Amino acid sequence: MKYLLYTFIYIGSFFLLPLTAKGQFDDKFYSPSKDYKLDADLKHQDIFFRIDEEEIHVLHLLPKEKAKASVLFFLGGGGNASTYTDMIRPLLKDAYQVFVFEPRGYGKSSGSPTHKANLADAQKVLDELILKREVKDQPLLIYGASLGSQVATTLAARNPEKIQGLILDGPMRSFTDIALAHAPEEQKAIIRQYLSSPYSAIKSIEQIEKLPKLIIASRADQAVPFEQSEQIYLLARDPKTFWEYEGEHLQASQHDPETFLQKVADLLADDSANGLQIDISIQKLRNSKGQVVVELKSPEEELVQRISTKIENRSAKLQFLNIEKGTYTFSWFHDENENGEFDRNFIGVPKEGYGFSNNAVGKFGPPPLLKRLFKVEVSTYMELYPTYF
């Protein structure tokens, strides 16, 4: 993976220059390429997302047979989506469909890459992707390769209910730590003082509680020190798996595709964390404006999960994942202006549609808790209808 090595050599040489102010120096971590070449045998589609006047490209690689699961792939610091197809091929052969996110400035994406823009764009792509017909009814994994491990881990930490597992291949601790690993010894003190990481895998991994995780690393990796990947694994919470392979940077899937695919299959089969799911269908909304927001709570009315989704044809479908057996309640509202809040007028009368689990209705406020509670012993489905004033 020559693009990755060139990137880290560039990072190290940059810090030979004097620094005078603390910052992220985003452009020094990215080596995008517009030299986009796909092999003729790869079945694919190009998907574009319009974000902040930029076109964000996602390469959709399709298996020859019907896809059994989806993978949202975040590439490393160099090249573009076409650079990583060799390491993705084993997944395609085993009936995974792969969506390769291209940061701004890479391949067919416009703009220039920055740490914060990459994360914000990735969140929007994930939110749109899970609504697609070919994705929403099957498991979804997030896969972060090398520098892409920073976005992938942070995205997984913020959206555990939307995915079924996290793969980190050659992950680094943080932007700062990878710069330190490739800088001359005499420059390390100034890097620690002036280079900041707006988010990092080493911090985000500790926030992911129940999601199955696969960390892949090699002691022969010259781009990312083995110790950095190992530390991420040690800080990760169960369930987790560490696979140490023999090979160069990001070569695990090509050197040992059978073991690689088995590890990915084991990740999806890990029921210790995936638990049950609650599917919700909300019908007969008064229009298709805005979004629907649902808050799942415990019997003590402590928040368990909060999710939202866009509305299509005056209806919305949502799914709570990784739910443990137990008793729950939830409330929801039609957030027509997308401000994330349940709006009321000056005397407290709701201005937006709302509802509760079991379609429970109250006379002068929320219905009694006993009417809203429901048990989850198997995966559960509930169809709901709104109340408007």
Side-chain angles (χ1 to χ4, degrees):
M1 302 296 287
K2 64 179 181 179
Y3 289 102
L4 281 304
L5 293 176
Y6 291 163
T7 296
F8 295 128
I9 291 172
Y10 183 42
I11 291 172
S13 64
F14 164 73
F15 287 108
L16 291 174
L17 300 175
L19 304 180
T20 58
K22 194 171 184 65
Q24 296 158 20
F25 305 96
D26 299 33
D27 59 315
K28 306 306 178 183
F29 289 87
Y30 302 101
S31 299
S33 171
K34 292 293 185 181
D35 185 15
Y36 199 92
K37 295 179 180 179
L38 282 180
D39 293 338
D41 66 315
L42 287 172
K43 185 179 179 182
H44 71 281
Q45 298 174 345
D46 292 312
I47 306 174
F48 291 92
F49 297 84
R50 187 72 173 175
I51 304 174
D52 298 335
E53 306 304 320
E54 302 293 352
E55 292 284 347
I56 305 302
H57 174 242
V58 173
L59 174 64
H60 182 193
L61 295 169
L62 297 105
K64 293 182 178 180
E65 55 189 286
K66 183 179 179 180
K68 65 182 181 183
S70 301
V71 178
L72 177 54
F73 184 95
F74 294 96
L75 48 78
N80 55 48
S82 67
T83 310
Y84 295 79
T85 55
D86 285 345
M87 67 180 293
I88 292 171
R89 279 184 179 274
L91 290 170
L92 300 176
K93 291 181 180 179
D94 201 31
Y96 293 87
Q97 61 176 340
V98 182
F99 298 84
V100 187
F101 171 89
E102 285 195 316
R104 301 184 184 201
Y106 282 75
K108 297 183 179 182
S109 290
S110 63
S112 300
T114 68
H115 298 332
K116 290 184 178 179
N118 287 351
L119 182 58
D121 293 348
Q123 181 66 64
K124 292 180 180 179
V125 167
L126 173 63
D127 290 340
E128 292 294 324
L129 202 60
I130 60 177
L131 298 178
K132 290 186 175 293
R133 176 179 51 80
E134 63 270 33
V135 176
K136 65 181 181 180
D137 295 327
Q138 61 180 222
L140 173 63
L141 300 174
I142 285 182
Y143 192 138
S146 191
L147 197 72
S149 61
Q150 305 306 294
V151 167
T153 312
T154 304
L155 198 65
R158 295 181 180 183
N159 302 270
E161 75 284 357
K162 298 177 183 177
I163 62 175
Q164 281 68 55
L166 172 66
I167 303 171
L168 299 176
D169 196 341
M172 59 197 65
R173 285 171 47 95
S174 69
F175 298 111
T176 305
D177 287 327
I178 197 62
L180 287 167
H182 289 272
E185 189 64 35
E186 62 271 18
Q187 294 293 321
K188 291 185 178 180
I190 198 169
I191 291 173
R192 292 189 184 97
Q193 182 177 356
Y194 291 108
L195 177 62
S196 62
S197 296
Y199 51 88
S200 66
I202 200 65
K203 291 183 179 179
S204 296
I205 197 69
E206 294 184 278
Q207 301 169 15
I208 306 173
E209 295 184 358
K210 301 177 181 179
L211 199 68
K213 310 159 199 70
L214 171 62
I215 291 89
I216 305 171
S218 171
R219 295 181 187 274
D221 192 330
Q222 296 182 13
V224 178
F226 177 82
E227 293 75 16
Q228 290 200 20
S229 300
E230 187 178 41
Q231 287 169 8
I232 290 173
Y233 168 75
L234 293 174
L235 285 175
R237 302 185 183 188
D238 290 326
K240 60 182 179 179
T241 300
F242 189 78
W243 177 31
E244 180 182 346
Y245 70 98
E246 294 183 3
E248 297 177 357
H249 188 56
L250 301 184
Q251 293 294 302
S253 64
Q254 297 170 73
H255 282 205
D256 193 350
E258 290 186 4
T259 301
F260 170 73
L261 291 174
Q262 186 59 57
K263 296 289 186 183
V264 176
D266 291 344
L267 191 71
L268 282 174
D270 192 334
D271 291 329
S272 64
N274 286 341
L276 304 171
Q277 64 189 47
I278 303 171
D279 289 282
I280 299 172
S281 176
I282 299 175
Q283 304 293 325
K284 298 184 179 180
L285 296 162
R286 68 182 171 193
N287 56 52
S288 297
K289 296 179 181 178
Q291 62 182 350
V292 166
V293 179
V294 184
E295 292 187 344
L296 182 69
K297 297 182 178 180
S298 69
E300 295 75 31
E301 303 212 59
E302 295 178 349
L303 184 64
V304 177
Q305 288 184 26
R306 176 185 165 108
I307 58 176
S308 61
T309 190
K310 294 291 186 180
I311 300 167
E312 295 183 7
N313 300 320
R314 295 176 57 204
S315 64
K317 293 184 178 180
L318 304 95
Q319 189 177 67
F320 288 103
L321 301 173
N322 306 330
I323 301 299
E324 298 178 352
K325 290 184 179 181
T327 302
Y328 298 91
T329 177
F330 63 76
S331 61
W332 66 272
F333 65 96
H334 180 187
D335 185 16
E336 293 183 70
N337 58 8
E338 293 190 82
N339 66 352
E341 299 179 357
F342 181 37
D343 294 329
R344 303 170 184 265
N345 65 18
F346 70 98
I347 60 172
V349 176
K351 297 169 64 176
E352 299 175 314
Y354 66 95
F356 299 90
S357 44
N358 302 328
N359 282 310
V361 178
K363 291 184 178 180
F364 302 101
L369 179 62
L370 286 177
K371 289 187 176 182
R372 293 182 276 129
L373 289 174
F374 64 98
K375 289 186 177 181
V376 177
E377 296 179 340
V378 296
S379 291
T380 302
Y381 172 81
M382 198 174 294
E383 187 168 289
L384 304 167
Y385 299 92
T387 295
Y388 291 97
F389 279 90

